[in-house]
Amino acid sequence: MSKVKNVLFLMADQLRADYLSCYGHPRLHTPNIDALATRGTLFERAYVQSPVCGPSRMSYYTGRYVTSHGATWNNIPLSAGEWTLGDYVRPLGPRVALVGKTHMRVDRDGMARVGLNGESEQGRYVAECGFEPYARDDGLHPDFIYDPDASYERYLRAHGYDGKNLWQDWANSGIDQDGNLLSGWYMRNARAPARIADEHSETAWTTDEAIGFIEAQGDRPWVLHVSYIKPHWPYIVSSPYHDRYGAEDCVPVVRAEQEKTAGHPVYQAFMHHAESEVFSRDEVRETVIPTYMGLIKQLDDHIGRLIACLEAQGRLDDTMIVLTSDHGDYLGDHWLGEKELFHEPSARVPLIVVDPSREADGMRGQRSHALVEAIDLIPTFVDALGGEVPYQRLEGRSLLPLLHGQTAAGEWRQYAVSELDYSFRQARRELGLGASDARAYMIATKDWKCVFYTHFRPQLFDLKNDAGELVDLGDIPAYQDRIREMREMLIEWLQTRKTRVTTTDADIDRLSAFAGKRLIGLW
Amino acid sequence: MSKVKNVLFLMADQLRADYLSCYGHPRLHTPNIDALATRGTLFERAYVQSPVCGPSRMSYYTGRYVTSHGATWNNIPLSAGEWTLGDYVRPLGPRVALVGKTHMRVDRDGMARVGLNGESEQGRYVAECGFEPYARDDGLHPDFIYDPDASYERYLRAHGYDGKNLWQDWANSGIDQDGNLLSGWYMRNARAPARIADEHSETAWTTDEAIGFIEAQGDRPWVLHVSYIKPHWPYIVSSPYHDRYGAEDCVPVVRAEQEKTAGHPVYQAFMHHAESEVFSRDEVRETVIPTYMGLIKQLDDHIGRLIACLEAQGRLDDTMIVLTSDHGDYLGDHWLGEKELFHEPSARVPLIVVDPSREADGMRGQRSHALVEAIDLIPTFVDALGGEVPYQRLEGRSLLPLLHGQTAAGEWRQYAVSELDYSFRQARRELGLGASDARAYMIATKDWKCVFYTHFRPQLFDLKNDAGELVDLGDIPAYQDRIREMREMLIEWLQTRKTRVTTTDADIDRLSAFAGKRLIGLW
């Protein structure tokens, strides 16, 4: 019997798995997150459905691959007809709320078509990706989209901060000795402390809001998505985290000269992006990475506060806790910055699940090497909360069998899939592609990773013998059989996307039992 | 400049293309439909997106492939989030209405999710597949789903017919000399005249309703879907059509012994269906086909009445007229009855388009051999009515360039696609497949047709040298290169389904022009 009554669904933004000590970082200690791993299961091979905020999150929130939900890049509206976490979980009883970021963009045309606006309850849910926006803030508030009413902006104003764009000029800027702003938009300023006090940082605010929700909710069940905006750039952090780490704490960059010269056309074009060129400079890495680490340390400390609140409220025993990220961060590895492509620093994320049920006791502190995906979370939540998983629509799989140690080898999926639509990026223009031709698909198996591109040859990496993914075997004749085999996986995957969403297989089995009683064919 | 103000979208149900004289039937003369072909363009290679009523119609009404809209078989609800003809055309001005059949099944869960029911205007449209149901009747009213309030049932009652199920017992039954009912459900009764007067037949009623709509609408623009239920079974027709044709008027059956012995597993399983076994008997064909022809003759006569109404109303000059069908009918060809598989009698349909614009004058009476699809109609309507075609969602192509003789060879699509989900059918059970594994895809090019099945080898037909599709080359080694080439078309098609529906390519081109002005990558 599951004891799960609540779900605390923690997400960080742009958090690389290997920047947590439980995933092996040698210098950055994250004891609070590590404690979750001790109490739950840590997944070594968790992939996002697209290594970009918007599409990745839409997969987390819909339980469907990017090709299926269609919101293929940031700011592409999620179709009003796509079901989300709230649609699946709310009927089971819990209040389903959001603190922090979703990157949801409203499908205004689709809402208008069914007569919805943001005023009705249904309209609010559709507009907010299924969540009750208890405290939504997507972060990233440059001047040209400044909104004085943003939650965090109002919070800072209430706490006495003064100015026009407090998020930008206080939370994400430092100041020099002459009183000049050191904008966090410029990475050269990364080592400056943010002007804001840590207790008013975005990470602190998000945590406070979450604590407020949990305390107010008391014994009533909930699913709370606590979605931190950090360690996503601007890379700047408040004291004392700003100088906690130095260049000597940086792990070595993972890159090789031959990647540049023998580069794949799409990969090469991504290397030409501004963020890749800047992160290829050691000076930039040594300035930015210590601050990135500081942001993660800050996150870990505040997660500690949040878990302490759960404990104080007596919620540890009936709350499933999940910690993950929407994608990683290249940080100069492979001569790249940011994310989007499919190397492990980008497409792989941390995933730790604590299931308080007795059935999970045998897996506490264990590490699973199963290929798991972001879309597995909704089925896991529905399953843990005692619901029937609507697999006619959800494309992931409940992790409960893995969490309970009940999955035999060979029973789990044999490959993970991630996708990219880079039509918005400079690389697409450099390659002269149309806006519908800039697609890529990753197929990752236990030992191999193959990336298929529309109009270009695939990339192939031998994960077993080349964990750093430094040697692309994609154009080597001896590996074409392997590529063909993995292409068959891609084709199988393309053919099995779930679009027959209004009818279950069980419905069909039931209804088709009458197939012999049709009225045609009678003489 | 287009003159199109209205669209008359005529659909027959289960009408084989080659059972019209303009498509070459030697004995069945359909002068009124032929007259449309003389005034417009006749398409020799028009395919439906699935040779089954429900999914085929949902493709006609959404402008999307079956895989995209997800209503893969009869009675699978169309997702409330799928846009339909009415959503595209109504904003351009016309009243968009339905007379007859859609086979639409409501997605009640999807509607409830967005707070819709059938009472609001939006709810009605979503529930009725985008149409204003001016006079909806889907036909097929056996006793176990009898509805005394069905439109046609009410009509018959108002016209003095008496009994419980007037559709069944009058419109679709005959009577013997002892006063016993001869049910149309039994094909042995096909030659009996239906009890109903022709003027009260389903085909007459549908026509009368359409005429009523057009006359009442006057000069106000409209798109009217006139969707005849016939010549779909029950195969029974009122006098004088019941004995208009005899066994001597039947064209020879198209089948070969080797099809039975060398049959493909799925094809073989379909041959075991009751409707296939019964239609493989000559006695059945000779009883049913003359009545099928009578139903088509009846349809042609009533279409003549409808066109005469258009003319009397002065609407011929500003109305685009389309005639098509939702699929064909095997009628014993290939040892099969009904439809579903992809031989030409099943997947190919008649398609005639009359465009009153001056630009179409050069194509009047012409025959196009372009590979056109059911999903091309919505883009054609939007284009003809002066709208911008939303190709981010619509997967067909406007036929206007073809209708205006402006399409050069090589500019049109190189292959047509049709799909089948046979999970509801006995064949699936016979083959021991799961409800999500019973899928098939047809790729038809100018000269070849290849059918790909999940879990089974493909079928291949040489359309140029084997127009009857009697020789399946799918397992012959010499043809494997051809099959591989056509499989690449299938894969390309799978990869290019339109799911990024909320954003156009033009939007992306516009928005991504700012890609260089991002805030990341600044030192």
Side-chain angles (χ1 to χ4, degrees):
Chain A
M1 268 293 291
S2 167
K3 291 172 63 184
V4 177
K5 197 173 94 177
N6 317 295
V7 176
L8 180 63
F9 173 18
L10 300 169
M11 186 178 286
D13 195 315
Q14 199 140 335
L15 172 62
R16 267 175 75 144
D18 58 354
Y19 274 67
L20 298 172
S21 41
C22 53
Y23 278 93
H25 200 287
R27 306 296 289 254
L28 172 52
H29 294 290
T30 48
N32 295 296
I33 293 172
D34 292 5
L36 296 178
T38 304
R39 293 188 17 238
T41 301
L42 179 151
F43 291 91
E44 290 280 4
R45 298 286 306 274
Y47 290 98
V48 290
Q49 262 48 70
S50 182
V52 185
C53 298
S56 173
R57 287 162 180 272
M58 295 309 115
S59 282
Y60 272 111
Y61 306 149
T62 62
R64 289 161 61 73
Y65 289 104
V66 174
T67 274
S68 300
H69 63 63
T72 59
W73 209 70
N74 295 334
N75 299 324
I76 299 221
L78 181 71
S79 288
E82 278 292 317
W83 291 46
T84 54
L85 175 56
D87 295 311
Y88 297 110
V89 166
R90 200 167 279 116
L92 302 174
R95 183 175 172 194
V96 181
L98 163 73
V99 170
K101 168 174 175 171
T102 57
H103 220 120
M104 170 68 180
R105 179 73 161 255
V106 178
D107 172 17
R108 291 192 196 287
D109 292 345
M111 286 182 65
R113 174 181 168 268
V114 293
L116 279 187
N117 55 39
E119 282 161 32
S120 67
E121 190 182 0
Q122 285 96 347
R124 256 193 316 279
Y125 288 148
V126 172
E128 293 288 353
C129 208
F131 293 107
E132 171 196 335
Y134 181 81
R136 176 177 174 181
D137 197 299
D138 273 9
L140 292 191
H141 301 284
D143 278 339
F144 61 86
I145 52 166
Y146 175 65
D147 173 8
D149 278 334
S151 310
Y152 180 61
E153 195 75 6
R154 282 190 278 111
Y155 164 87
L156 290 181
R157 210 178 303 122
H159 282 77
Y161 291 91
D162 193 35
K164 184 184 167 276
N165 185 342
L166 305 172
W167 174 88
Q168 177 181 270
D169 294 347
W170 285 89
N172 287 282
S173 291
I175 199 160
D176 71 11
Q177 49 232 51
D178 302 324
N180 300 309
L181 272 193
L182 298 170
S183 168
W185 295 121
Y186 296 94
M187 289 192 273
R188 65 171 181 268
N189 297 327
R191 300 310 310 272
R195 293 172 74 195
I196 204 149
D198 172 62
E199 68 190 89
H200 299 135
S201 66
E202 292 170 275
T203 297
W205 171 78
T206 307
T207 307
D208 289 347
E209 292 287 343
I211 289 172
F213 175 92
I214 291 165
E215 290 181 348
Q217 195 66 6
D219 278 337
R220 289 163 296 174
W222 46 265
V223 172
L224 182 65
H225 182 39
V226 182
S227 186
Y228 290 98
I229 294 144
K230 295 295 178 181
H232 191 289
W233 47 267
Y235 300 109
I236 189 162
V237 66
S238 47
S239 172
Y241 300 100
H242 73 292
D243 61 1
R244 181 92 180 226
Y245 305 97
E248 69 282 7
D249 298 306
C250 296
V251 291
V253 67
V254 178
R255 66 189 184 202
E257 275 302 321
Q258 98 251 0
E259 290 183 290
K260 287 166 93 169
T261 50
H264 183 280
V266 180
Y267 175 28
Q268 206 106 37
F270 268 83
M271 286 191 215
H272 299 157
H273 283 178
E275 69 275 11
S276 297
E277 291 184 343
V278 78
F279 265 110
S280 294
R281 290 161 50 192
D282 290 342
E283 170 194 28
V284 173
R285 295 185 69 256
E286 287 170 8
T287 305
V288 170
I289 291 176
T291 296
Y292 180 74
M293 293 168 67
L295 285 163
I296 295 166
K297 184 69 186 170
Q298 178 189 44
L299 178 70
D300 187 71
D301 283 348
H302 286 282
I303 285 177
R305 279 209 296 136
L306 185 53
I307 303 302
C309 154
L310 272 192
E311 185 162 22
Q313 296 286 314
R315 292 276 76 84
L316 279 186
D317 283 347
D318 59 12
T319 301
M320 169 173 276
I321 305 172
V322 173
L323 179 124
T324 188
S325 177
D326 59 350
H327 53 75
D329 192 329
Y330 274 110
L331 296 171
D333 285 353
H334 307 286
W335 313 97
L336 296 170
E338 280 269 80
K339 53 257 181 178
E340 307 221 10
L341 295 182
F342 302 101
H343 298 92
E344 296 284 283
S346 173
R348 177 187 176 229
V349 288
L351 179 64
I352 299 166
V353 182
V354 183
D355 178 351
S357 314
R358 204 179 47 230
E359 291 84 344
D361 287 350
M363 288 295 285
R364 301 201 190 284
Q366 302 288 304
R367 288 159 184 272
S368 168
H369 287 79
L371 294 162
V372 300
E373 301 183 337
I375 56 176
D376 296 335
L377 291 188
I378 293 183
T380 304
F381 300 162
V382 171
D383 200 5
L385 291 166
E388 180 131 4
V389 183
Y391 281 118
Q392 81 278 11
R393 202 182 285 272
L394 292 175
E395 298 187 299
R397 296 174 60 167
S398 169
L399 298 172
L400 282 202
L402 292 174
L403 295 169
H404 296 176
Q406 295 165 345
T407 305
E411 277 179 15
W412 195 250
R413 69 167 66 84
Q414 299 300 304
Y415 54 92
V417 180
S418 192
E419 302 178 68
L420 175 64
D421 171 7
Y422 59 102
S423 58
F424 280 84
R425 303 306 312 277
Q426 179 59 35
R428 190 263 290 193
R429 294 182 172 253
E430 179 179 326
L431 295 164
L433 299 173
S436 285
D437 292 329
R439 298 296 181 100
Y441 307 84
M442 176 201 84
I443 302 286
T445 65
K446 181 167 168 286
D447 295 331
W448 299 88
K449 184 186 285 182
C450 200
V451 182
F452 297 93
Y453 297 89
T454 303
H455 300 306
F456 301 102
R457 71 158 174 88
Q459 291 176 296
L460 178 69
F461 299 102
D462 178 347
L463 300 179
K464 210 165 158 187
N465 299 302
D466 173 29
E469 302 170 286
L470 294 168
V471 184
D472 175 6
L473 307 166
D475 57 357
I476 297 180
Y479 290 92
Q480 298 310 306
D481 279 350
R482 169 76 54 197
I483 289 171
R484 268 190 288 275
E485 186 185 297
M486 295 183 77
R487 185 162 186 256
E488 290 302 315
M489 297 174 187
L490 172 65
I491 296 164
E492 177 190 69
W493 177 84
L494 285 166
Q495 279 193 290
T496 50
R497 289 313 85 241
K498 292 185 177 171
T499 61
R500 192 179 66 191
V501 294
T502 58
T503 303
T504 66
D505 280 12
D507 286 338
I508 291 174
D509 283 339
R510 185 172 47 79
L511 293 166
S512 64
F514 298 98
K517 296 183 190 159
R518 285 161 55 91
L519 296 157
I520 180 64
L522 305 176
W523 173 247
Chain B
M1 269 293 293
S2 168
K3 291 172 65 185
V4 176
K5 199 173 93 176
N6 316 296
V7 175
L8 180 63
F9 173 17
L10 301 168
M11 187 178 285
D13 196 313
Q14 198 139 335
L15 173 62
R16 266 175 77 143
D18 58 353
Y19 274 68
L20 299 172
S21 40
C22 53
Y23 278 92
H25 200 287
R27 305 296 290 255
L28 171 54
H29 295 290
T30 49
N32 294 295
I33 292 172
D34 292 5
L36 296 178
T38 304
R39 292 186 21 237
T41 302
L42 179 151
F43 291 92
E44 289 281 5
R45 298 286 305 275
Y47 289 98
V48 290
Q49 263 48 69
S50 182
V52 185
C53 298
S56 173
R57 287 162 180 274
M58 295 309 115
S59 283
Y60 272 111
Y61 305 150
T62 61
R64 290 160 61 73
Y65 289 103
V66 174
T67 274
S68 300
H69 65 61
T72 59
W73 209 70
N74 295 335
N75 300 325
I76 299 221
L78 181 70
S79 287
E82 279 291 317
W83 291 46
T84 54
L85 175 56
D87 295 310
Y88 297 111
V89 166
R90 200 167 279 118
L92 303 174
R95 184 176 172 193
V96 181
L98 162 74
V99 170
K101 169 174 174 170
T102 58
H103 219 120
M104 170 68 180
R105 179 72 161 256
V106 178
D107 171 18
R108 291 191 197 288
D109 292 344
M111 285 183 64
R113 174 181 168 268
V114 293
L116 279 186
N117 55 38
E119 281 161 32
S120 67
E121 190 183 0
Q122 285 95 347
R124 257 195 315 280
Y125 289 148
V126 171
E128 292 289 354
C129 207
F131 294 107
E132 171 195 335
Y134 181 82
R136 177 177 175 183
D137 197 298
D138 273 9
L140 292 190
H141 301 284
D143 278 339
F144 61 86
I145 52 166
Y146 175 65
D147 173 10
D149 277 332
S151 309
Y152 180 61
E153 195 75 6
R154 283 190 279 113
Y155 164 88
L156 291 181
R157 210 177 302 122
H159 281 77
Y161 291 91
D162 193 34
K164 183 184 169 274
N165 185 342
L166 305 172
W167 173 88
Q168 177 180 271
D169 293 347
W170 285 89
N172 287 281
S173 290
I175 199 159
D176 71 11
Q177 48 233 50
D178 302 324
N180 300 310
L181 271 192
L182 299 169
S183 168
W185 296 123
Y186 296 95
M187 290 193 272
R188 65 171 180 269
N189 296 326
R191 300 309 310 272
R195 293 172 74 194
I196 205 151
D198 171 62
E199 67 190 273
H200 299 135
S201 66
E202 292 170 274
T203 297
W205 171 79
T206 307
T207 307
D208 288 348
E209 292 287 343
I211 289 172
F213 175 91
I214 291 167
E215 288 180 350
Q217 194 66 5
D219 279 338
R220 288 163 296 174
W222 46 265
V223 172
L224 182 65
H225 183 38
V226 182
S227 186
Y228 290 98
I229 294 145
K230 295 296 177 180
H232 192 289
W233 48 266
Y235 300 108
I236 190 164
V237 64
S238 48
S239 171
Y241 300 101
H242 74 291
D243 62 0
R244 182 90 178 228
Y245 305 98
E248 68 284 5
D249 297 306
C250 295
V251 291
V253 67
V254 177
R255 66 188 185 203
E257 275 302 322
Q258 98 251 0
E259 290 182 291
K260 287 166 94 168
T261 49
H264 182 281
V266 181
Y267 174 28
Q268 207 105 38
F270 269 83
M271 286 190 215
H272 300 157
H273 283 179
E275 69 275 11
S276 297
E277 291 184 343
V278 76
F279 265 111
S280 294
R281 290 160 51 191
D282 291 341
E283 170 193 30
V284 174
R285 294 184 70 255
E286 288 170 9
T287 304
V288 170
I289 290 177
T291 296
Y292 180 72
M293 293 168 69
L295 285 164
I296 294 167
K297 184 70 187 170
Q298 178 189 45
L299 177 70
D300 185 71
D301 283 347
H302 286 282
I303 284 177
R305 280 207 298 135
L306 184 53
I307 304 300
C309 154
L310 273 193
E311 183 162 24
Q313 296 286 314
R315 291 277 75 86
L316 280 186
D317 283 348
D318 59 12
T319 301
M320 170 175 275
I321 306 172
V322 172
L323 179 125
T324 189
S325 177
D326 60 349
H327 53 75
D329 192 330
Y330 274 110
L331 296 170
D333 285 352
H334 306 287
W335 312 99
L336 296 169
E338 278 270 81
K339 54 259 181 177
E340 307 221 12
L341 295 182
F342 301 102
H343 299 91
E344 297 283 283
S346 173
R348 176 186 176 230
V349 288
L351 179 64
I352 299 167
V353 182
V354 183
D355 178 352
S357 314
R358 205 179 48 229
E359 291 83 346
D361 287 351
M363 289 294 287
R364 302 201 189 286
Q366 303 286 306
R367 288 161 183 273
S368 168
H369 286 79
L371 293 162
V372 299
E373 301 183 337
I375 55 176
D376 296 335
L377 291 187
I378 293 183
T380 304
F381 299 162
V382 172
D383 200 6
L385 291 166
E388 181 132 1
V389 183
Y391 280 119
Q392 81 279 11
R393 203 181 285 271
L394 292 175
E395 299 188 298
R397 297 173 59 166
S398 169
L399 298 172
L400 281 203
L402 292 173
L403 295 169
H404 296 175
Q406 295 164 345
T407 306
E411 279 179 15
W412 194 252
R413 68 168 65 86
Q414 300 299 303
Y415 54 91
V417 180
S418 192
E419 301 177 68
L420 176 64
D421 171 7
Y422 59 101
S423 57
F424 280 83
R425 303 306 311 279
Q426 180 57 35
R428 190 261 292 191
R429 294 180 172 254
E430 179 178 326
L431 294 165
L433 300 173
S436 285
D437 292 329
R439 297 297 181 101
Y441 306 84
M442 175 200 84
I443 302 286
T445 65
K446 181 168 167 286
D447 295 330
W448 299 90
K449 184 185 284 182
C450 201
V451 182
F452 296 93
Y453 296 88
T454 303
H455 299 307
F456 300 101
R457 72 159 174 89
Q459 291 177 296
L460 178 69
F461 298 102
D462 178 347
L463 301 180
K464 210 166 158 186
N465 299 303
D466 173 29
E469 304 170 284
L470 293 168
V471 184
D472 174 5
L473 307 166
D475 57 356
I476 297 181
Y479 289 92
Q480 298 309 306
D481 279 349
R482 169 77 53 197
I483 288 171
R484 268 189 288 276
E485 186 185 299
M486 295 184 77
R487 185 164 186 254
E488 289 302 313
M489 297 174 188
L490 172 66
I491 295 165
E492 176 190 70
W493 177 84
L494 285 167
Q495 278 192 287
T496 50
R497 289 314 82 243
K498 291 185 178 172
T499 61
R500 191 180 66 191
V501 295
T502 59
T503 303
T504 67
D505 280 12
D507 286 337
I508 291 173
D509 282 339
R510 186 172 47 77
L511 293 167
S512 64
F514 299 98
K517 296 183 190 158
R518 286 162 53 92
L519 295 159
I520 179 66
L522 305 176
W523 173 247

